[in-house]
Amino acid sequence: MDLSKEELTALIAAQGKIIARLEERIRELEAQIHKDSHNSDIPPSRSFTPIKNMRKKTGKKRGGQKGHKGKTLEMVDNPNRTIVHEASTCVQCGADLSGMPPDGYERRQVFDIPPITLEVAGHRAERKRCHCGHVTTASFPGGVTAPVQYGINIQSLLTIFSAYEYMSYDRISELMAHLIGHRVNESTVYSLQKRLFEQLADFEEKSIRHLHRSGVIHNDETGMSVMGKRRWLHITSTRALTHYAVDDKRGKEATDRIGILPHFHGRSIHDGWKAYFRYPCDHGLCNAHHLRELIFFEEEEKAPWAKPLKDLLLFAKTSVERAKNEGRDHLDPAILQHIDRRYREILQGALADIPSPTRTAKRGRVKKTKQQNLIERLLCHEESVLAFIHDFNVPFDNNLAERDGRMMKLKEKISGTFRSLQGGSLLRQNTRLYLDRPQEQQKCLRRDHECIFREAVRVGGVVNSYV
């Protein structure tokens, strides 16, 4: 085939564009293969390759270290019951010892629970006729409202199994049959969850007002299957309170309906989703996400700037933790200046060294590389990235909101999908009632189911909002 010089030049240029597109596609496919939970946002359950351990060796041996305070069973001074085992016969000569007083005792204690049995308490309200002719009937105790019902202890146990242990209704019924010899209907478990949900109905408004006044909140969103359709679980949390909401949308339209961010004036910690930046509050970005991206660029793309920036962020994190442990509420000005200056030096140098992207299409903007996108994002949001070194109330990452979403994903994995918006809301609301409380509050909940309702508006709790 004879080609003119112009045709040959055009052919070579076209082939060059094809090669550039193919090389970009190869890089994308190789990146997918090498990504896992340690260098991307892919969860461990979806990683197809062995996950690299990010922990550094400390030189310590495995197991408990010297000086570590262990926990074990210890004898109590006053056991619930004491069983005396009599030494009736001498093991040496066979003499009868039954009438002799003991010289002392050797003690052992067994910690166990008594057999669980179902106790039925009958209530009878007397009816008496007065001399005036009126018949008066005594009142039943509070909570005894039906001819036949489950008591407060069983109600508490069923609620814990469903809202805290994430068991399915049928498994709860089977477990109760094993424990007490009586199978509880699945509809009963659901009714108890619904009752708790209704008792906490006014918590929605109170929680939103509390979050509006908070200085720092965490925001996150994750997909959730409801009635076989993909919807979005929106999470807003502090260390004392978690608010859940389910919406068909992921972006600003949904967060506007939820009603927290439009009236919030503190600092929102999130993973950089663009919808959050559309609100005028201060922002803080999750540096755990940044570290994973930097690890990928360091290990897979051999980017020379990635490791220095990763080390700088870890140095800043360690410096803040050390200052907090020493009782200080700020870093030394020299350290702050060093981190700020070094941060900009690394990113500006990296941006200058990255070659200009090659146009692979005839129209539209030139596609930037992932490295270039991250560098520009970190430079643009420098204040949000480094907010944690200037204000110790700002956390290094957004792990709080991400942890709050894991339990909902766990229940979804167990059940496959929520069969109704209300069914999902019962779990989300009642779950947070347990998870956001300190241990002594949880003991109260296990001890007396009614204290759930008495204490619901006092300490951390759960609120659900669905559209």
Side-chain angles (χ1 to χ4, degrees):
M1 181 175 61
D2 296 330
L3 296 175
S4 64
K5 183 176 180 180
E6 291 78 10
E7 291 174 335
L8 187 60
T9 302
L11 178 61
I12 293 173
Q15 290 176 340
K17 292 180 179 180
I18 294 174
I19 293 172
R21 285 199 300 268
L22 292 176
E23 288 177 341
E24 176 64 22
R25 181 56 178 163
I26 291 172
R27 282 194 294 268
E28 291 177 356
L29 293 174
E30 287 180 341
Q32 293 178 14
I33 294 174
H34 295 127
K35 282 185 177 181
D36 55 35
S37 62
H38 97 288
N39 59 16
S40 71
D41 57 358
I42 297 176
S45 59
R46 290 176 53 192
S47 296
F48 297 103
T49 57
I51 300 173
K52 297 179 181 179
N53 193 343
M54 295 178 63
R55 293 183 179 179
K56 296 182 179 179
K57 293 184 178 181
T58 61
K60 298 179 180 179
K61 295 182 179 180
R62 292 185 177 182
Q65 305 300 312
K66 290 183 178 180
H68 169 72
K69 187 177 180 180
K71 294 182 179 179
T72 185
L73 284 177
E74 296 180 356
M75 283 192 173
V76 298
D77 296 330
N78 300 304
N80 299 94
R81 62 191 181 103
T82 301
I83 305 170
V84 178
H85 303 279
E86 183 181 2
S88 58
T89 304
C90 177
V91 296
Q92 180 68 27
C93 66
D96 183 14
L97 304 177
S98 57
M100 297 178 62
D103 294 336
Y105 296 93
E106 181 180 335
R107 292 199 308 160
R108 294 181 183 181
Q109 292 183 350
V110 177
F111 289 70
D112 203 350
I113 58 174
I116 301 176
T117 58
L118 186 64
E119 180 185 81
V120 180
H123 294 265
R124 294 184 180 183
E126 293 183 338
R127 287 199 300 266
K128 294 184 179 179
R129 184 180 297 277
C130 180
H131 59 81
C132 68
H134 181 75
V135 177
T136 299
T137 303
S139 299
F140 286 101
V144 181
T145 58
V148 179
Q149 67 180 71
Y150 289 110
I152 207 72
N153 292 327
I154 289 184
Q155 293 181 40
S156 176
L157 197 61
L158 294 175
T159 300
I160 292 170
F161 287 157
S162 179
Y164 188 68
E165 301 297 343
Y166 306 102
M167 296 176 62
S168 60
Y169 290 167
D170 59 337
R171 293 297 298 274
I172 294 174
S173 297
E174 292 178 6
L175 180 60
M176 294 302 291
H178 291 309
L179 290 177
I180 63 176
H182 179 81
R183 187 182 181 94
V184 178
N185 289 336
E186 297 176 19
S187 59
T188 301
V189 183
Y190 173 79
S191 297
L192 290 174
Q193 295 291 289
K194 185 178 179 181
R195 177 190 170 202
L196 178 57
F197 172 79
E198 292 170 350
Q199 291 290 338
L200 294 170
D202 64 338
F203 207 83
E204 173 76 16
E205 183 179 350
K206 294 179 180 179
S207 71
I208 291 178
R209 289 203 302 267
H210 173 82
L211 292 169
H212 285 165
R213 297 191 298 268
S214 299
V216 177
I217 62 173
H218 292 253
N219 292 103
D220 198 17
E221 74 290 329
T222 183
M224 174 171 283
S225 176
V226 180
M227 296 184 292
K229 296 181 179 179
R230 184 177 183 82
R231 289 182 168 86
W232 293 94
L233 174 69
H234 293 265
I235 305 161
T236 305
S237 62
T238 63
R239 294 197 177 278
L241 179 69
T242 299
H243 180 280
Y244 288 129
V246 174
D247 198 280
D248 291 334
K249 302 293 184 180
R250 183 187 181 188
K252 189 173 184 294
E253 184 180 349
T255 49
D256 283 344
R257 277 196 290 265
I258 295 167
I260 297 176
L261 283 172
H263 306 285
F264 176 68
H265 303 291
R267 187 179 293 272
S268 169
I269 311 299
H270 51 81
D271 58 5
W273 178 239
K274 288 185 178 180
Y276 296 127
F277 283 114
R278 298 177 65 183
Y279 293 99
C281 62
D282 294 328
H283 298 273
L285 293 179
C286 176
N287 284 298
H289 281 73
H290 298 150
L291 288 179
R292 288 194 291 265
E293 290 184 86
L294 292 172
I295 289 172
F296 177 80
F297 292 141
E298 174 192 354
E299 294 179 349
E300 304 302 334
E301 298 190 4
K302 311 302 179 185
W305 60 273
K307 188 178 187 304
L309 185 58
K310 181 193 72 173
D311 293 340
L312 180 67
L313 289 176
L314 292 176
F315 167 75
K317 179 176 182 289
T318 303
S319 300
V320 171
E321 292 172 349
R322 186 184 301 114
K324 288 181 178 179
N325 293 335
E326 294 173 354
R328 293 185 285 134
D329 61 357
H330 63 277
L331 289 178
D332 293 335
I335 295 179
L336 283 175
Q337 292 176 6
H338 166 73
I339 295 174
D340 288 335
R341 175 176 51 79
R342 184 66 181 143
Y343 179 87
R344 287 188 289 270
E345 285 179 356
I346 294 172
L347 290 174
Q348 289 171 356
L351 191 61
D353 292 340
I354 290 181
S356 301
T358 304
R359 176 176 292 278
T360 58
K362 295 181 179 179
R363 302 174 61 184
R365 293 181 298 178
V366 178
K367 185 178 180 180
K368 298 179 181 179
T369 64
K370 293 187 181 298
Q371 287 191 42
Q372 190 173 5
N373 285 331
L374 177 61
I375 293 170
E376 292 180 354
R377 188 166 75 245
L378 293 177
L379 283 172
C380 178
H381 300 294
E382 176 183 347
E383 192 276 336
S384 300
V385 175
L386 298 180
F388 72 98
I389 68 172
H390 297 281
D391 182 358
F392 282 8
N393 293 318
V394 179
F396 177 79
D397 51 44
N398 194 34
N399 287 349
L400 180 64
E402 294 182 1
R403 282 194 298 264
D404 287 340
R406 288 174 189 166
M407 295 300 100
M408 300 302 103
K409 301 298 289 185
L410 172 62
K411 184 62 177 180
E412 181 189 22
K413 188 174 182 179
I414 293 172
S415 302
T417 183
F418 292 105
R419 286 182 282 181
S420 68
L421 279 174
Q422 186 180 33
S425 70
L426 298 187
L427 172 76
R428 289 188 296 276
Q429 174 159 321
N430 299 346
T431 295
R432 294 321 314 168
L433 180 61
Y434 286 94
L435 294 189
D436 284 336
R437 288 169 175 263
Q439 287 296 321
E440 59 271 15
Q441 294 272 336
Q442 293 187 17
K443 292 177 182 177
C444 170
L445 300 183
R446 292 174 174 84
R447 219 172 32 243
D448 181 0
H449 188 262
E450 287 185 347
C451 79
I452 292 176
F453 309 133
R454 291 196 299 268
E455 300 291 333
V457 297
R458 285 192 61 242
V459 187
V462 63
V463 179
N464 170 70
S465 162
Y466 59 87
V467 181

